[in-house]
Amino acid sequence: MQAATLPTPAPTPSLVAPRAGEFDARILANDPVNAEYRLMTVAVPDGSANARPGQFFQILCPHSGALQPFFRRPMSIYRIEPEAGRLSFLYKVTGTGTRTMAELDPGASINLFGPLGNGFSLPKDGAPIALLGRGVGLATMAPLVSHAREAGHAVTAILSARTPELVMSKDEFLEAGARVMTVTDSEGTSAVENVENMLHALHGEGRLGALYVCGSNRLMLAAQRVSRRLGVFGEAALEQQMACGVGMCFCCVRPFRQGDEIVHRRVCSEGPVFPLLEALEW
Amino acid sequence: MVDLSVDCGGIRLANPVMPASGTFASELAEIIALKRLGAFVTKTVTPGKRQGNPTPRVSEVPGGMLNSIGIPSKGVDAFVAETIPLYANFDVPLVVSISADTPDGFADICRRVSVPGVAAVEVNISCPNIEDDGRAFAMRPETTLAVMRKLRQATDLPLWAKLTPNTGEMPAVAEAAAAGGADALVVANTILAMSVDIRTRRASLGRVMGGLSGPAVKPIILRMAYQCVRAVDIPVIGCGGIMTAADALEYLIVGCRAVQVGTATFVHPGAMLTVIDGLEDYCRQNGIERIADLTGTLSAEAHDASLEWEAIA
């Protein structure tokens, strides 16, 4: 294991750790982006949009009638626009919470709690970075592109999906200044062997100085293999069912490798971004 | 100016609102003004390290949550060395929640957390007793009395006994806890429950059964708190499904001296502060100068149906 010898990332520059708060936000837009996902953009009070890439909000979804849903829904931030005071969330309609969220119209208000958790850290030396994401994992990764570009890092993003139609955010990533490569199940390009080869090729071209992954267990394991082989720093953003979102309830634990031990860490307060090589498969 | 302070189980609280064990951590200091709370109650600490239960550890149900967290714990030594000092800078009484799986284990950990900086010890006797076939200590009066006697000998600090609702003998258990030396009762822990995902036909929780909390349990726990108030002379602290000041007021009116807010904090991190503000407003609007005067003011007057209907309309 090479984790100990890898370069230590610098704390994310130029952004102060924002204080989390509970507030009502006004919905500006809430539209489908494809057959499965929707994008909600909200206007937030002063300063609340100062979130770091990789952080998340706890969203209080409206009740559907039977006192459901009871808990907030954790959602990573898809777009952070501090000057405009806007935040966007990309979400898949899967259950009670996201269903009631999908029914909200512009003008309505929604209660948010955040920003929460620890964001991504960038390598110190301006090294080029690569992002690897699938599904809703792309939402988590999206704000990292512009943030890394502003900090002077070249960014390559490998976006994975079932079909080309379901590749989300390609334009968003391109506009933010990333070089984008897509892989899909239907084209037979998304197999981990191929993704690993692509990452090795990127490394050969001097484009892989750090690696970030989110949204797929198989991709995370592939990223770990590449990171180990090449000695490249990496981080994984993980998901887990949550209740409190701030480290009190110990509901959202996942197993991690810490030296010779397997330990539980809370995704909400100790993550959701973790050192790539310490995360265990789920 | 309303006097919100109360004397509760051997300590004076600036107001009657505190967190329920397991729903509070120092992380909350970054989010709400912790110094406004009546007391801090820590997550239960056990003698040794514990990983906790397999996931999923939490599931939501209409009006509440199920949990089987399994008391992950860093052990009492790390707790005394690292956690207790975190709260030293707050001028708020610190209540340490402890658990163990034998009466002697309980007495031992109680002794070890009886250190400067701790105002009271909450004993989570709702957990399984391995010397009694895994039944929770507080399921029966005999085992409650036995463990409370050992605890009483182990510390001079006030002892708060946290009772389980999973008993058919609530008043007798309450009497046994008081007889064993408790300075207050916390009524109560979660109600044993379960739910099933009909798509997968799997239990929602990794451990199948877990504890129900949240607004769904409030009428049941309120009844139990009322029964305990009638059974003992020591203060009763109500704990079950409090989401709002109105919920807390119900507990005070039936005779509780203070309340604990738990699950609500998971939904609204500022819930405890909202409850404190609401209690003060209620007292002001109703000409109550001291909130302690509200405790046990449940009216025995006959119902006037016409008035009540009017109030609802």
Side-chain angles (χ1 to χ4, degrees):
Chain A
M1 175 109 109
Q2 302 179 356
T5 63
L6 299 180
T8 325
T12 307
S14 75
L15 288 176
V16 202
R19 190 185 160 99
E22 184 184 349
F23 56 85
D24 287 325
R26 190 165 45 87
I27 296 171
L28 300 172
N30 186 17
D31 302 311
V33 292
N34 62 29
E36 294 180 340
Y37 286 85
R38 297 177 75 91
L39 181 66
M40 177 183 279
T41 300
V42 298
V44 301
D46 273 358
S48 305
N50 276 321
R52 286 168 294 169
Q55 285 194 297
F56 66 99
F57 274 84
Q58 284 272 67
I59 298 184
L60 193 63
C61 301
H63 281 183
S64 63
L67 291 176
Q68 297 229 55
F70 185 70
F71 285 124
R72 289 172 185 267
R73 295 293 187 265
M75 275 186 205
S76 52
I77 312 156
Y78 178 65
R79 209 181 279 153
I80 304 169
E81 299 169 280
E83 288 81 21
R86 279 198 302 256
L87 293 169
S88 300
F89 302 95
L90 183 67
Y91 63 101
K92 189 175 181 177
V93 179
T94 51
T96 337
T98 42
R99 256 201 312 278
T100 60
M101 204 174 142
E103 288 162 8
L104 290 171
D105 292 321
S109 81
I110 188 163
N111 186 272
L112 308 183
F113 172 39
L116 301 170
N118 303 297
F120 293 104
S121 47
L122 291 168
K124 237 179 237 161
D125 44 10
I129 68 169
L131 320 184
L132 184 55
R134 185 175 167 102
V136 84
L138 297 171
T140 309
M141 216 83 92
L144 180 57
V145 179
S146 49
H147 177 58
R149 292 293 297 131
E150 280 161 30
H153 301 265
V155 180
T156 308
I158 302 179
L159 313 181
S160 172
R162 287 207 308 279
T163 65
E165 297 73 46
L166 291 174
V167 175
M168 285 182 300
S169 330
K170 187 175 174 179
D171 296 339
E172 184 95 11
F173 277 66
L174 284 170
E175 270 170 46
R179 180 170 171 252
V180 175
M181 306 159 89
T182 61
V183 294
T184 64
D185 303 353
S186 64
E187 296 165 308
T189 48
S190 61
V192 286
E193 298 76 19
N194 186 46
V195 172
E196 283 182 51
N197 288 338
M198 290 167 73
L199 289 170
H200 276 275
L202 283 178
H203 187 257
E205 297 164 19
R207 291 177 169 274
L208 181 63
L211 180 55
Y212 302 84
V213 62
C214 184
S216 153
N217 188 38
R218 290 168 70 235
L219 287 181
M220 184 185 80
L221 294 175
Q224 288 179 335
R225 285 189 291 271
V226 171
S227 166
R228 252 187 229 111
R229 279 195 294 261
L230 302 175
V232 167
F233 166 78
E235 287 182 332
L238 302 186
E239 292 167 20
Q240 177 62 294
Q241 181 206 28
M242 287 181 193
C244 77
V246 288
M248 298 185 288
C249 73
F250 285 78
C251 143
C252 66
V253 296
R254 280 198 181 280
F256 291 84
R257 196 185 291 113
Q258 183 175 296
D260 298 331
E261 259 188 302
I262 304 291
V263 297
H264 280 152
R265 290 186 193 152
R266 294 161 292 180
V267 171
C268 69
S269 58
E270 294 169 86
V273 176
F274 292 95
L276 176 60
L277 293 181
E278 292 179 9
L280 293 177
E281 65 182 298
W282 65 83
Chain B
M1 193 64 190
V2 181
D3 179 4
L4 288 178
S5 68
V6 294
D7 282 316
C8 182
I11 53 178
R12 180 123 190 118
L13 310 178
N15 68 68
V17 180
M18 65 188 109
S21 176
T23 65
F24 176 78
S26 58
E27 283 92 342
L28 209 53
E30 294 156 32
I31 298 153
I32 67 166
L34 288 191
K35 62 176 193 295
R36 291 191 57 205
L37 300 180
F40 298 158
V41 183
T42 63
K43 184 169 175 67
T44 298
V45 61
T46 57
K49 262 193 191 176
R50 286 168 60 96
Q51 278 276 38
N53 287 338
T55 55
R57 290 176 168 189
V58 161
S59 169
E60 63 179 8
V61 295
M65 75 181 267
L66 292 176
N67 88 81
S68 66
I69 305 290
I71 315 187
S73 169
K74 52 185 172 183
V76 66
D77 292 332
F79 180 85
V80 170
E82 297 160 18
T83 306
I84 291 176
L86 289 180
Y87 298 104
N89 293 332
F90 295 92
D91 191 21
V92 175
L94 178 65
V95 181
V96 169
S97 170
I98 60 168
S99 184
D101 52 17
T102 64
D104 288 326
F106 247 119
D108 184 56
I109 188 171
C110 185
R111 213 170 283 121
R112 287 156 76 182
V113 299
S114 297
V115 297
V118 177
V121 181
E122 180 176 290
V123 294
N124 181 5
I125 55 173
S126 315
C127 61
N129 174 1
I130 58 173
E131 291 176 6
D132 190 26
D133 203 21
R135 280 184 283 266
F137 293 92
M139 277 175 73
R140 300 189 305 179
E142 301 76 28
T143 43
T144 301
L145 181 64
V147 73
M148 287 309 300
R149 280 194 170 142
K150 292 225 166 179
L151 283 160
R152 186 66 284 169
Q153 285 164 13
T155 188
D156 295 327
L157 288 176
L159 278 176
W160 295 2
K162 184 155 179 182
L163 304 186
T164 174
N166 305 309
T167 173
E169 307 177 73
M170 199 62 170
V173 168
E175 283 167 20
D183 297 287
L185 305 179
V186 180
V187 179
N189 214 309
T190 56
I191 300 176
L192 195 60
M194 67 182 286
S195 73
V196 173
D197 182 335
I198 58 168
R199 292 165 304 174
T200 60
R201 298 192 198 173
R202 281 199 296 228
S204 310
L205 296 174
R207 267 287 157 90
V208 183
M209 292 185 287
L212 178 66
S213 63
V217 308
K218 197 196 71 186
I220 298 172
I221 306 298
L222 184 70
R223 178 268 295 177
M224 291 181 160
Y226 174 63
Q227 288 180 304
C228 290
V229 165
R230 296 205 299 180
V232 299
D233 293 328
I234 56 174
V236 172
I237 299 162
C239 175
I242 295 174
M243 299 294 284
T244 63
D247 297 329
L249 286 162
E250 286 192 64
Y251 277 97
L252 298 179
I253 290 167
V254 304
C256 292
R257 195 74 61 88
V259 293
Q260 293 185 347
V261 177
T263 305
T265 302
F266 292 169
V267 184
H268 295 287
M272 288 183 283
L273 304 184
T274 314
V275 170
I276 295 169
D277 292 339
L279 292 181
E280 189 170 1
D281 289 346
Y282 177 89
C283 289
R284 198 179 296 119
Q285 285 157 16
N286 291 277
I288 297 164
E289 285 171 20
R290 285 163 23 95
I291 198 159
D293 295 339
L294 190 61
T295 288
T297 54
L298 185 67
S299 169
E301 276 177 42
H303 285 247
D304 184 334
S306 63
L307 266 181
E308 280 166 29
W309 281 112
E310 203 174 359
I312 289 167

